């Protein structure tokens, strides 16, 4: 593997951790992701991770059923805590040095996010898992991922999803949907392509942070994408 990036942030959705279960955490799925990360880390790439919580709880979904959005998002943030701690432990079992940094204070459980401390961890070769990045309701982990990638000076944000890139329509429902090899931030916003929420795309555009969208289901996808190969869509300036 010949990586073309030095420092990257990988966004793993909660769905990526639930495997075929449809809910919760699947040990096999997490081990698979951890193994892919190890392959990339061993090649010398500095890695930041942001983990979602959609496999357990999504504030906006529950708010539509009548629960307060703010409380729903607080519960959603707790879901991301569970995923991050689980992933950290699996990665450590595989021999990686991993620190979890939280945007909410949970001192007995993990470190608080401190900008300079996070940079120091990376310099020492540690992998970072960030969660609850904004620390606020009404945000998603995608927005938090763009925020941390910008702060840490990452070359690129890799978003692993259920499909192998950005399409002009939902490829699961429309077999004629066309995949973009490259698409601009503006086009994603104008055409409301459902790859990330608006604040995340707008922040990436402002900070000129390229986003690579790829499938988590493809064997060895992470290593390929980081070498500039494989199937993905890049979102960047036109
Ligand atoms: N969340 C939040 N603020 C944040 C990050 C996350 O309120 O800065 C909550 C929100 O309810 C979100 C949930 O955490 O729905 C889980 O994250 P998300 O749905 O983005 O996870 P993913 O889709 O990546 O699994």
């Amino acid at each position: 593997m010949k990586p073309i990036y030095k420092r990257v942030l990988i966004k793993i959705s909660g769905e990526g951790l639930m495997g075929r279960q449809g809910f919760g955490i699947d040990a096999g799925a997490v081990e698979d992701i951890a193994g892919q990360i190890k392959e990339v880390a061993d090649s010398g790439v500095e890695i930041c991770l942001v983990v979602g919580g959609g496999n357990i709880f999504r504030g906006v979904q529950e708010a539509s059923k009548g629960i307060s959005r703010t409380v729903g998002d607080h519960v959603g943030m707790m879901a991301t805590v569970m995923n991050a701690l689980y992933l950290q432990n699996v990665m450590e079992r595989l021999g990686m040095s991993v620190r979890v940094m939280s945007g909410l204070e949970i001192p007995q459980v993990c470190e608080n996010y401190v900008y300079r401390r996070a940079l120091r961890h990376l310099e020492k070769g540690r992998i970072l898992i960030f969660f609850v990045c904004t620390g606020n309701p009404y945000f998603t982990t995608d927005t938090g991922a763009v925020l941390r990638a910008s702060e840490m000076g990452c070359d690129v944000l890799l978003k692993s999803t259920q499909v192998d890139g950005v399409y002009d329509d939902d490829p699961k429902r429309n077999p004629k949907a066309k995949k973009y090899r490259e698409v601009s931030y503006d086009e994603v916003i104008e055409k409301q392509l459902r790859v990330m929420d608006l604040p995340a795309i707008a922040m990436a555009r402002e900070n000129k942070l390229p986003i690579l969208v790829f499938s988590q289901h493809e064997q060895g996808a992470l290593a390929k994408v980081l070498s500039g190969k494989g199937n993905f869509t890049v979102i960047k300036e036109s």
Side-chain angles (χ1 to χ4, degrees), residues 11-15 52-55 57-60 72-74 76-77 80 132-142:
K11 160 73 204 304
I12 299 163
S13 71
E15 279 178 336
N55 54 322
F57 202 90
R58 220 176 237 130
V60 70
D73 281 342
H74 286 156
M77 289 186 217
T80 68
V132 192
C133 300
T134 78
N136 290 302
Y138 294 89
F139 285 95
T140 64
T141 44
D142 280 348

Side-chain angles (χ1 to χ4, degrees), residues 10-21 26 28-30 32-34 36 51-52 55 58 158-165 172 212-223 225 231-232:
I10 306 162
K11 160 73 204 304
I12 299 163
S13 71
E15 279 178 336
L17 305 181
M18 72 186 181
R20 294 183 197 285
Q21 290 183 161
D26 176 69
V30 180
D32 178 59
I33 289 172
Q36 288 204 42
V51 198
N55 54 322
R58 220 176 237 130
L158 294 120
K159 180 173 160 76
S160 83
T161 67
Q162 303 299 308
V163 290
D164 62 354
K172 285 184 179 155
L212 305 187
V213 183
F214 68 102
S215 167
Q216 63 184 55
H217 300 297
E218 208 178 301
Q219 199 68 26
L222 194 54
V225 172
N231 291 319
F232 61 88

Side-chain angles (χ1 to χ4, degrees), residues 33-107:
I33 289 172
Q36 288 204 42
I37 294 167
K38 181 160 173 35
E39 186 186 356
V40 174
D42 287 347
S43 74
V45 182
E46 293 176 355
I47 299 175
C48 306
L49 299 166
V50 167
V51 198
N55 54 322
I56 299 170
F57 202 90
R58 220 176 237 130
V60 70
Q61 253 167 32
E62 299 302 316
S64 69
K65 296 177 197 161
I67 189 176
S68 135
R69 170 75 193 264
T70 303
V71 174
D73 281 342
H74 286 156
V75 179
M77 289 186 217
M78 297 304 133
T80 68
V81 180
M82 289 190 239
N83 285 336
L85 294 176
Y86 193 102
L87 178 62
Q88 178 189 32
N89 206 244
V90 173
M91 290 171 68
E92 284 174 342
R93 262 188 1 229
L94 295 183
M96 289 174 262
S97 177
V98 190
R99 294 288 187 276
V100 170
M101 300 192 98
S102 171
L104 270 184
E105 283 188 47
I106 323 177

Side-chain angles (χ1 to χ4, degrees), residues 146 185 189 197-207:
V146 174
Y185 305 111
I189 293 170
D197 58 302
L198 208 62
I201 294 289
M203 193 185 286
R205 178 176 64 180
E206 197 166 316
N207 296 312

Side-chain angles (χ1 to χ4, degrees), residues 108-119:
Q108 283 86 350
V109 175
C110 65
E111 278 176 60
N112 224 17
Y113 173 73
V114 176
Y115 169 65
R116 286 182 189 281
R117 199 179 289 163
L119 286 175

